[in-house]
Amino acid sequence: MISDTSLDEYVAAAAGLQGFALDADQLARVQAVFRRNAAIAELVMGFDPGESAEPAPQFRP
Amino acid sequence: MSATSPRSALAIAAAVARGETTAMAEVEAALARIAAGDGVINAFTAVTADRARHEATLVDQRRARGEKLPPLAGVPFAVKNLFDVAGLPTLAGSRLHERRPVADCDAVLVARMQAAGAVLVGALNMDAYAYGFTTENTGYGPARNPHDTSRTAGGSSGGSAAAVAAGMVPITLGSDTNGSIRVPSSLCGVFGLKPTYGRLSRTGSYPFVASLDHLGPFATDVADLAASYDAMQGPDAADPACGQRSAELVSPGLGRDADVPLRVARLCGYFDRWASAAARAASMRAAEALGAHRTIELPEVERARAAAFVISAAEGGALHRATLQRDYDRFEPHNRDRFLAGALTPASWYVQAQKTRAWFAEQVRAIFADVDVLVAPATPVAATLLGEEWVELGGERLPLRPSLGLFTQPISCIGLPVAAVPIVGAGLPLGVQLIAAPWREDLCLRAALQLERAGIARCDIAGG
């Protein structure tokens, strides 16, 4: 599990890299959302779908 | 509503064809209902009265010349405002889009409805950029639930469901990425269809998450739902996701096959755990009426929902990154931070989410070898109060807005066709999902018709 501090540092760096000029309040709000996203993403990152589950370039059901 | 409620779309078309009414009379009646009711409901963001009267005149002229009329001749309809409508800016729920050039032609599905004789009367309210389940739109105000105007109509196609539930028009169109047709269908008590991913063309609609976006209709009964779906089918090379399948019309066989038994199972496990007692009861009632004799627990549903969440965040964020850089302060406050956080999603999360999605699709596809239709609740609860932030489900206190998609996200994640069906019961409306294998919308609609004929499913027009 990635620490909140690491996630917050990632968000600050990634936002800067992508050209967002966020003030402190804005950054704090985005960091809070990203922490929630990371908790959800753990459900897929902690899952092994096997080698056959490569995503298709264009999904077809 | 002070004006008379509409008949079904097919009843209108039949009456127009027989000369018992005119397209113009039906359009004027719809415009009157909108004028009478929409000040409170706030379903419409634009009313295309001039265009509607012009199109109605053309339909009536065709009848006067003795021409055979198309199947939806003279039927008023309206579309979520992410569909291109010639002469209007495509708002996608955002005030920022008011500055954009107007659309120079209609979206493919709008054009196909028009070719079927339907008459467009307006564009409908939605969550900004379709990222929400409550249509609490800061720029245009909330769409209100016609059954209780202090409550949400659901979202993101809230205006589409509310306009039908209020009896303003018999058919509307919406979009569904994570549940945006099925959630408002459930909360407003109307029928909705989210077809198979790739079935209906999205050309001329504003995207949210390209790899998850679907379009589909809302209606007051199953026959209208099927007729509008049929009118919009067909390949479209301009939409890379749209299958190149010919139209597979469901209306002609719908009544004929209605009594053919279906192999039905009810989804349990995750779906029972997070459903309120009322939602679980609705699902069980529908399953029982369809003769379900088994329950099925889908594998790794939480991960499938998480995959849909990550894919939505990443693709939606990427889509709006430039706008957020430029106009963060004027972007919808309800979702700007979610879009921005989504734009920062690591590529590895996104790829892993797509792999998880492909795995889940494979597991669920196997289930359909001996099941025709799966039954599940559409929403965990009935319509909540506007502004509500939290809901208690499964003994846990959860954020309300994302939780409304608990049962729809795992299903749209793998592109399955779903009919959302309002189940008759006491209190506020609640719907169930009737889910079939890819490209088997006919089975969803057949199950919906069986429930309708059994008196288990019904759309009650609010105040009607």
Side-chain angles (χ1 to χ4, degrees), chain B residues 160-247:
Chain B
S160 303
V164 171
M168 295 174 187
V169 284
I171 291 176
T172 59
L173 306 186
S175 68
D176 188 317
T177 301
N178 286 300
S180 288
I181 287 175
R182 293 160 290 160
V183 169
S185 287
S186 176
L187 302 192
C188 287
V190 303
F191 290 87
L193 179 67
K194 185 206 77 62
T196 307
Y197 179 78
R199 172 72 87 176
L200 296 183
S201 166
R202 303 170 304 179
T203 301
S205 67
Y206 194 84
F208 168 25
V209 180
S211 69
L212 293 171
D213 289 341
H214 308 65
L215 304 177
F218 295 81
T220 57
D221 65 34
V222 179
D224 282 3
L225 200 65
S228 55
Y229 164 63
D230 281 350
M232 295 187 287
Q233 285 192 55
D236 175 20
D239 177 355
C242 188
Q244 295 306 301
R245 304 168 76 95
S246 300

Side-chain angles (χ1 to χ4, degrees), chain B residues 246-290:
Chain B
S246 300
E248 298 170 312
L249 303 183
V250 296
S251 293
L254 192 59
R256 185 188 64 223
D257 300 334
D259 297 328
V260 177
L262 294 163
R263 299 170 301 169
V264 178
R266 187 179 69 83
L267 293 181
C268 61
Y270 169 94
F271 292 88
D272 280 344
R273 178 184 174 199
W274 296 113
S276 65
R280 196 162 47 246
S283 174
M284 294 174 85
R285 187 162 186 228
E288 185 182 359
L290 291 170

Side-chain angles (χ1 to χ4, degrees), chain B residues 91-118:
Chain B
L91 298 177
S94 172
R95 287 274 180 200
L96 290 172
H97 279 215
E98 289 178 352
R99 296 178 297 181
R100 292 163 64 103
V102 300
D104 56 8
C105 64
D106 291 338
V108 163
L109 297 193
V110 175
R112 287 179 179 175
M113 286 291 285
Q114 187 177 356

Side-chain angles (χ1 to χ4, degrees), chain A residues 4 9 11 13 21-23 26-27 36 42 44-45 47 54-55:
Chain A
D4 285 355
E9 288 172 356
V11 169
L22 303 176
D23 64 29
Q26 292 167 348
L27 180 62
R36 288 197 293 272
E42 274 189 13
V44 295
M45 296 307 286
F47 181 61
E54 290 299 324

Side-chain angles (χ1 to χ4, degrees), chain B residues 29-368:
Chain B
L31 294 173
R33 291 191 296 267
I34 295 165
D38 203 47
V40 173
I41 303 300
N42 197 32
F44 282 78
T45 53
V47 176
T48 54
D50 290 346
R51 168 181 169 148
R53 290 181 177 117
H54 174 68
E55 288 180 14
T57 300
L58 297 179
V59 170
D60 290 334
Q61 287 174 344
R62 289 177 70 176
R63 186 181 183 281
R65 290 195 297 268
E67 293 180 27
K68 180 174 169 26
L69 295 181
L72 297 175
V75 173
F77 80 109
V79 299
K80 187 174 184 175
N81 71 28
L82 55 63
F83 285 83
D84 284 352
V85 172
L88 296 180
T90 305
L91 298 177
S94 172
R95 287 274 180 200
L96 290 172
H97 279 215
E98 289 178 352
R99 296 178 297 181
R100 292 163 64 103
V102 300
D104 56 8
C105 64
D106 291 338
V108 163
L109 297 193
V110 175
R112 287 179 179 175
M113 286 291 285
Q114 187 177 356
V119 178
L120 184 76
V121 298
L124 298 160
N125 203 356
M126 58 180 282
D127 284 286
Y129 299 118
Y131 205 2
F133 285 127
T134 57
T135 314
E136 291 169 294
N137 186 304
T138 303
Y140 296 96
R144 295 180 179 276
N145 192 310
H147 294 279
D148 178 344
T149 56
S150 67
R151 295 177 185 271
T152 175
S156 64
S157 309
S160 303
V164 171
M168 295 174 187
V169 284
I171 291 176
T172 59
L173 306 186
S175 68
D176 188 317
T177 301
N178 286 300
S180 288
I181 287 175
R182 293 160 290 160
V183 169
S185 287
S186 176
L187 302 192
C188 287
V190 303
F191 290 87
L193 179 67
K194 185 206 77 62
T196 307
Y197 179 78
R199 172 72 87 176
L200 296 183
S201 166
R202 303 170 304 179
T203 301
S205 67
Y206 194 84
F208 168 25
V209 180
S211 69
L212 293 171
D213 289 341
H214 308 65
L215 304 177
F218 295 81
T220 57
D221 65 34
V222 179
D224 282 3
L225 200 65
S228 55
Y229 164 63
D230 281 350
M232 295 187 287
Q233 285 192 55
D236 175 20
D239 177 355
C242 188
Q244 295 306 301
R245 304 168 76 95
S246 300
E248 298 170 312
L249 303 183
V250 296
S251 293
L254 192 59
R256 185 188 64 223
D257 300 334
D259 297 328
V260 177
L262 294 163
R263 299 170 301 169
V264 178
R266 187 179 69 83
L267 293 181
C268 61
Y270 169 94
F271 292 88
D272 280 344
R273 178 184 174 199
W274 296 113
S276 65
R280 196 162 47 246
S283 174
M284 294 174 85
R285 187 162 186 228
E288 185 182 359
L290 291 170
H293 57 279
R294 58 187 288 204
T295 55
I296 287 178
E297 189 163 354
L298 299 182
E300 306 290 358
V301 189
E302 294 90 344
R303 296 188 202 276
R305 183 178 179 232
F309 181 95
V310 170
I311 293 165
S312 298
E315 291 191 28
L319 177 67
H320 293 290
R321 186 176 56 84
T323 308
L324 285 162
Q325 287 172 336
R326 192 175 56 243
D327 276 320
Y328 175 90
D329 288 333
R330 295 195 299 152
F331 207 95
E332 167 63 72
H334 283 305
N335 57 29
R336 63 186 172 196
D337 295 322
R338 287 190 287 145
F339 274 122
L340 207 160
L344 310 181
T345 300
S348 57
W349 292 7
Y350 179 79
V351 171
Q352 181 72 1
Q354 289 285 12
K355 291 171 77 166
T356 302
R357 175 194 197 189
W359 178 90
F360 186 63
E362 199 174 328
Q363 307 305 308
V364 177
R365 194 178 299 120
I367 290 171
F368 288 113

